[in-house]
Amino acid sequence: MIGTEETFQTNHVKGELLHLIYHNEESLYTVAKVKVIETSLDLSERELTVVGVLPKPEHDVTYLYHGEMKDHPRFGRQFKAEQVRKEVPQTKHGIVHYLSSERFPGVGQKTAEKIVDELGENALSAILADKGILERVNGLKQDKADQIYKVLVEEQGVEQVLLTLYDYGFGLQLAMKVFQAYKLDAMRIIEENPYQMIEDVEGIGFAKADAIGQKQGLTGNHPDRIKAAIFYVLTEQSMNNGHVYTPTRDVLLEAQRLLSGTERVSEDDIARQIIEMGEEDKVKVEEDRMYLNTLYFAEKGIVTNLHRLITRGKSVEEFPESEFLKALGKTEESLGIEYADSQKEAIRTALTSGVTVLTGGPGTGKTTVINGLVEVYGRLKGLSVNPDDYKKDDQFPVILAAPTGRAAKRMSESTGLPASTIHRLLGYKGNQDDLEYGDHQQLEGNLIILDEMSMVDTWLCNQLLRAVPDEMQVLFVGDEDQLPSVGPGQVLSDILKAQIVPSVQLTAIFRQAEGSSIITFSHDIKDGNRISAESSAGNDLRFIPCGPPQVPDAVRQICEKAVARGYSARDIQVLAPMYRGDAGVTALNQMLQELFNPPKEQKREVAFGDVVYRHGDMVLQLVNNPEENVYNGDRGEIVAIFLPKETEQNETMIVISFDGIEVAYSKSDLNQITHAYCCSIHKSQGSEFPIVVMPVIRNYARMLRKNLIYTGVTRAKDFLLLCGDWGAVELAVGRDDDLVRNTTLRKKLKEAFMEATNQHEKTGAAKD
């Protein structure tokens, strides 16, 4: 059947590499043509394509693959390997050939023969067991003996780790991740503390590590086992649910559930380890709450730095009202607008405060306020805010930044000023512990404006505020009703609720005159007003009812009509809340690629696993790549595909344009991207598209929330087309309070400012 794989049977193939078709050094996905030496399969051919997550195969080495034959709809019959082991040479001839190969520099055939003559056909295992045994080989120098042992250990390291993890029930892919994380230390870590893998290796949960621990005698109430369960619970709560802390009692009970087996672990045993982990500074325990260290100190840092900036902000230069009104009037004249009272208040507040928050839904004029603030600020300060007046290395007085590349680009387009991602602004180089700017070197400038603050998580906000000097004023801009950040925390919401930072909320809809049903609909969702398919419809908003099986066809028909009216794939964004299922992101992307960019004889394409990328495809960046100024969530287009013979690297290269920034990807880099015809609503944050198509069905029920629908709806600039079940839309809009994140930022902000106020009052009383 087209689009499916037919499984035949589980079996084995022993063979040697004929040709390495593809190998990704990061993901380890491998496609190799193998000469079949022995197999349990009924094969007439003596060559076979082997695929899977595998160590890079070498020539002149025999491998034993375990797996199953499959028919791939595009590439035909393949053997999908689930396990692999390298066959160590067993004969004198094989060992001599192995030791005299290029793997062992300086070891020729005569030296190899001497080694085998002296140590026998078990020479390799004997050397691995005892390095000193090579001293028995006459004429073998110590440096050469050391080299032989080192290469053997490296050669057999992967093999040893894989075989050990196979025995523990690990699949090949997960086993390779372990080896990638630890290299030659893998066996030591597995044997000494397998629970360490929970922290270091993505995809290894408590159950996997515990299976190894149990076989090594780390059972019942062993301290390492209990601590691992505690750390796993904390991490899962933060990464999956966005919590900065978890109630200690919840951690205890969930850890006890994880640890339950043949022996029951008592609450007292777990409580002792919680106390010990706190004393060892492995986690933070505060009252009845537990934190991962990074999140505890990030939250604490936000409080400290906001207090610093707000306190210093009290000394911000004040201007007479007459000067402010004069500067505002000239700005209105220059920009050709008249500000409403709420917008004037926002500009005035931002000018006179160290830190200000500006919030509002779509169409309320947040961008208009930003433009006015920058212009008025320049007039009052006597500074030019025209980028053309500054040389390349000159410091522009106003810094504009946003969490994603798309959001930064929108900000720059709407203001005419340079804007960057927060990561780039801080000099992020791919390592969270290595930022160019922070306490040690702070940013330069007079005013910093940060857009889409609802997307900024606890860790990033702390890093940002650390880099803001005392004299710089800060304006946070956002919409608190959108989805919270992907990472832990709800920073914007907590700052607003703490009520210690001056804030202005824009509520009047200034784009209403344009007759936008999208804006009206989004505010009805935001304000909790009753919505219906009929009353919400308008020239720019439609709802198409259909059942879950019909969603792909409905999405296709909507997109076909848009294309017929002259829109392209880059103008249309399909949004879905889940990846799996017929109406999920993955399936819809496959369907939409065939619609927008079908295969043609002259159109180049590259296969990466089961995915095909073609010239002209819309793609989404999945990881931060600061060196190329491309970040997670950026949307691009494949503008060129080069064959190996056309490149200096002699490998396939794909060039992707991200709003004019062209980045070259080797085939091994393609795990950094995915198709972008359909993406998750989370991934769309910070972006705006001419046309948004959004299916909403009850199959998504687990994900449906008011802020999810609101965020998706507000991505549409010109047209919004909903399809599915209106009951599911109403269900989502009615759910807005059952995914509250555990944070203490609001509480700690209030406490810090109250303490500062009390201290100030005491100091004043003492002086009197």
Side-chain angles (χ1 to χ4, degrees):
M1 181 184 294
I2 299 295
T4 64
E5 293 182 347
E6 182 183 352
T7 300
F8 288 86
Q9 55 183 324
T10 301
N11 254 306
H12 75 266
V13 171
K14 182 185 289 188
E16 293 181 355
L17 178 66
L18 285 173
H19 175 56
L20 182 59
I21 299 171
Y22 175 71
H23 176 74
N24 185 316
E25 291 292 346
E26 292 188 14
S27 69
L28 300 178
Y29 185 81
T30 302
V31 181
K33 183 72 73 175
V34 171
K35 175 186 175 183
V36 178
I37 297 172
E38 173 192 310
T39 180
S40 58
L41 297 164
D42 183 15
L43 291 178
S44 57
E45 61 266 34
R46 304 315 296 170
E47 295 181 4
L48 190 64
T49 300
V50 175
V51 302
V53 179
L54 308 168
K56 187 176 182 178
E58 304 169 71
H59 289 284
D60 300 323
V61 176
T62 302
Y63 295 92
L64 180 64
Y65 300 99
H66 287 274
E68 55 192 17
M69 284 297 295
K70 290 193 171 184
D71 258 350
H72 190 281
R74 181 175 177 81
F75 303 111
R77 283 167 63 83
Q78 298 176 335
F79 186 80
K80 188 172 183 180
E82 300 295 340
Q83 291 189 7
V84 62
R85 63 175 297 173
K86 186 185 295 182
E87 293 282 285
V88 180
Q90 302 293 329
T91 65
K92 177 178 179 179
H93 173 76
I95 297 172
V96 169
H97 179 72
Y98 177 66
L99 288 174
S100 60
S101 68
E102 293 179 355
R103 298 178 186 82
F104 299 87
V107 179
Q109 184 162 339
K110 288 185 178 180
T111 303
E113 287 174 348
K114 278 186 180 182
I115 293 172
V116 180
D117 287 342
E118 179 62 41
L119 304 181
E121 293 185 354
N122 292 323
L124 300 181
S125 57
I127 296 169
L128 282 167
D130 179 13
K131 176 183 175 183
I133 202 171
L134 284 168
E135 295 174 3
R136 290 165 44 183
V137 181
N138 288 332
L140 186 65
K141 294 181 179 180
Q142 186 61 48
D143 61 342
K144 197 167 288 186
D146 291 342
Q147 178 72 9
I148 291 171
Y149 177 76
K150 179 184 176 183
V151 174
L152 269 179
V153 169
E154 291 175 350
E155 283 272 308
Q156 301 302 315
V158 180
E159 181 75 9
Q160 193 176 7
V161 173
L162 294 185
L163 291 176
T164 300
L165 293 174
Y166 291 161
D167 289 342
Y168 288 123
F170 278 57
L172 179 57
Q173 187 167 2
L174 207 50
M176 284 306 304
K177 281 188 177 181
V178 174
F179 183 77
Q180 283 181 302
Y182 301 127
K183 303 298 182 187
L184 297 180
D185 283 335
M187 290 309 302
R188 178 183 61 79
I189 291 170
I190 291 169
E191 290 168 1
E192 291 179 4
N193 183 12
Y195 297 106
Q196 183 67 34
M197 293 187 292
I198 296 172
E199 298 182 41
D200 300 336
V201 184
E202 183 182 356
I204 293 189
F206 179 79
K208 282 286 185 186
D210 197 38
I212 298 176
Q214 298 258 7
K215 291 185 179 180
Q216 294 178 356
L218 305 178
T219 59
N221 62 355
H222 191 284
D224 287 347
R225 182 170 183 257
I226 295 175
K227 287 177 181 176
I230 292 167
F231 188 86
Y232 178 73
V233 170
L234 269 182
T235 303
E236 287 292 288
Q237 289 295 316
S238 294
M239 297 303 108
N240 291 346
N241 298 324
H243 298 315
V244 171
Y245 76 85
T246 303
T248 306
R249 180 66 180 169
D250 291 354
V251 175
L252 190 152
L253 293 175
E254 182 60 20
Q256 187 179 44
R257 186 192 66 78
L258 279 176
L259 295 162
S260 296
T262 53
E263 304 174 62
R264 188 175 184 277
V265 179
S266 71
E267 291 186 12
D268 288 344
D269 286 337
I270 300 172
R272 273 192 293 272
Q273 295 310 316
I274 288 176
I275 293 170
E276 191 169 312
M277 288 176 77
E279 292 172 346
E280 294 171 347
D281 280 334
K282 290 183 177 178
V283 297
K284 285 296 174 185
V285 182
E286 187 178 75
E287 298 178 358
D288 60 346
R289 303 180 296 273
M290 285 189 70
Y291 304 74
L292 294 172
N293 284 342
T294 52
L295 295 176
Y296 175 83
F297 287 112
E299 215 176 53
K300 186 176 180 181
I302 293 172
V303 173
T304 300
N305 284 298
L306 275 179
H307 184 269
R308 168 178 65 87
L309 293 168
I310 291 172
T311 303
R312 294 286 185 182
K314 290 178 181 177
S315 61
V316 169
E317 180 183 359
E318 294 187 7
F319 302 94
E321 181 72 5
S322 60
E323 286 189 26
F324 167 72
L325 292 175
K326 181 180 178 182
L328 182 66
K330 288 185 176 180
T331 298
E332 289 179 321
E333 185 179 335
S334 169
L335 299 178
I337 59 172
E338 183 178 346
Y339 285 103
D341 289 343
S342 59
Q343 293 175 318
K344 291 177 183 177
E345 180 194 353
I347 295 172
R348 182 187 285 105
T349 304
L351 284 168
T352 56
S353 307
V355 182
T356 308
V357 180
L358 173 66
T359 65
T364 56
K366 296 191 296 294
T367 299
T368 305
V369 169
I370 292 174
N371 287 329
L373 170 62
V374 172
E375 185 109 358
V376 172
Y377 189 88
R379 292 181 187 279
L380 290 173
K381 290 281 189 177
L383 298 168
S384 170
V385 289
N386 182 353
D388 295 336
D389 293 338
Y390 292 83
K391 296 178 181 177
K392 182 179 179 182
D393 296 328
D394 289 346
Q395 177 59 54
F396 193 68
V398 181
I399 298 173
L400 271 60
T404 67
R406 294 286 294 182
K409 184 172 186 292
R410 281 181 60 205
M411 199 179 188
S412 181
E413 289 173 344
S414 61
T415 61
L417 301 176
S420 75
T421 64
I422 296 173
H423 283 90
R424 189 184 183 201
L425 177 68
L426 297 178
Y428 175 76
K429 297 179 178 65
N431 183 343
Q432 290 191 348
D433 298 323
D434 183 22
L435 295 172
E436 184 179 350
Y437 292 96
D439 301 289
H440 54 288
Q441 181 180 348
Q442 293 187 313
L443 299 166
E444 295 180 11
N446 304 71
L447 170 68
I448 184 168
I449 302 174
L450 301 149
D451 201 6
E452 298 288 355
M453 270 301 294
S454 64
M455 298 174 64
V456 177
D457 62 35
T458 301
W459 179 86
L460 185 58
C461 185
N462 178 46
Q463 299 303 319
L464 175 67
L465 292 176
R466 287 174 57 208
V468 176
D470 290 350
E471 63 275 10
M472 185 180 286
Q473 291 174 263
V474 180
L475 174 64
F476 294 134
V477 182
D479 185 346
E480 62 176 312
D481 293 296
Q482 287 191 29
L483 285 167
S485 55
V486 174
Q490 48 189 21
V491 175
L492 178 63
S493 176
D494 282 343
I495 290 175
L496 285 168
K497 290 175 180 174
Q499 296 181 333
I500 49 88
V501 176
S503 63
V504 178
Q505 183 180 25
L506 302 177
T507 55
I509 305 173
F510 295 99
R511 274 160 53 191
Q512 185 68 46
E514 299 174 12
S516 173
S517 298
I518 299 172
I519 291 177
T520 304
F521 183 50
S522 65
H523 280 271
D524 283 342
I525 294 172
K526 180 186 179 84
D527 299 335
N529 298 334
R530 185 180 179 279
I531 59 172
S532 69
E534 295 77 20
S535 63
S536 301
N539 292 332
D540 57 356
L541 172 60
R542 287 284 189 276
F543 174 74
I544 297 94
C546 62
Q550 289 79 46
V551 163
D553 284 339
V555 171
R556 173 188 283 276
Q557 289 177 32
I558 292 169
C559 293
E560 284 176 338
K561 289 179 180 178
V563 170
R565 293 182 180 181
Y567 290 95
S568 67
R570 68 175 62 86
D571 300 320
I572 306 167
Q573 184 62 65
V574 180
L575 301 177
M578 296 179 69
Y579 283 85
R580 297 180 180 177
D582 293 339
V585 171
T586 302
L588 290 176
N589 260 324
Q590 292 173 351
M591 180 270 290
L592 291 167
Q593 184 195 28
E594 295 306 303
L595 170 64
F596 288 121
N597 196 26
K600 292 182 180 179
E601 188 174 342
Q602 300 300 319
K603 184 175 288 187
R604 288 185 173 182
E605 58 183 47
V606 176
F608 183 71
D610 292 338
V611 181
V612 174
Y613 292 104
R614 295 190 188 106
H615 184 280
D617 269 345
M618 301 302 300
V619 295
L620 192 73
Q621 180 76 8
L622 298 175
V623 298
N624 290 325
N625 185 352
E627 292 183 2
E628 298 288 356
N629 193 23
V630 176
Y631 295 89
N632 183 5
D634 286 355
R635 196 171 184 243
E637 180 181 352
I638 297 176
V639 293
I641 296 177
F642 295 103
L643 303 177
K645 63 183 179 182
E646 299 170 336
T647 66
E648 292 181 6
Q649 299 87 348
N650 197 33
E651 60 178 321
T652 300
M653 301 293 290
I654 290 180
V655 179
I656 302 173
S657 175
F658 294 92
D659 295 319
I661 299 173
E662 292 193 351
V663 182
Y665 293 74
S666 66
K667 199 168 181 180
S668 60
D669 295 327
L670 296 185
N671 59 336
Q672 297 181 17
I673 64 170
T674 187
H675 283 117
Y677 301 108
C678 178
C679 73
S680 70
I681 296 174
H682 268 103
K683 287 286 186 186
S684 74
Q685 274 188 279
S687 299
E688 191 175 61
F689 310 96
I691 299 176
V692 166
V693 183
M694 192 164 68
V696 185
I697 52 177
R698 291 183 185 270
N699 299 41
Y700 300 149
R702 185 173 60 86
M703 299 289 294
L704 294 180
R705 295 291 186 282
K706 176 180 176 179
N707 56 9
L708 182 99
I709 298 297
Y710 177 75
T711 302
V713 166
T714 53
R715 299 311 91 204
K717 183 179 180 181
D718 299 326
F719 296 98
L720 171 66
L721 297 117
L722 299 168
C723 62
D725 179 356
W726 189 261
V729 177
E730 292 177 328
L731 170 69
V733 171
R735 297 168 72 182
D736 62 354
D737 59 352
D738 53 344
L739 284 180
V740 176
R741 294 184 171 190
N742 295 332
T743 73
T744 39
L745 180 58
R746 174 186 176 187
K747 174 177 179 289
K748 289 179 177 178
L749 280 170
K750 282 191 166 187
E751 289 174 350
F753 280 83
M754 188 177 295
E755 182 181 342
T757 301
N758 292 339
Q759 187 64 38
H760 179 73
E761 290 175 353
K762 287 179 182 178
T763 303
K767 287 181 179 179
D768 293 340

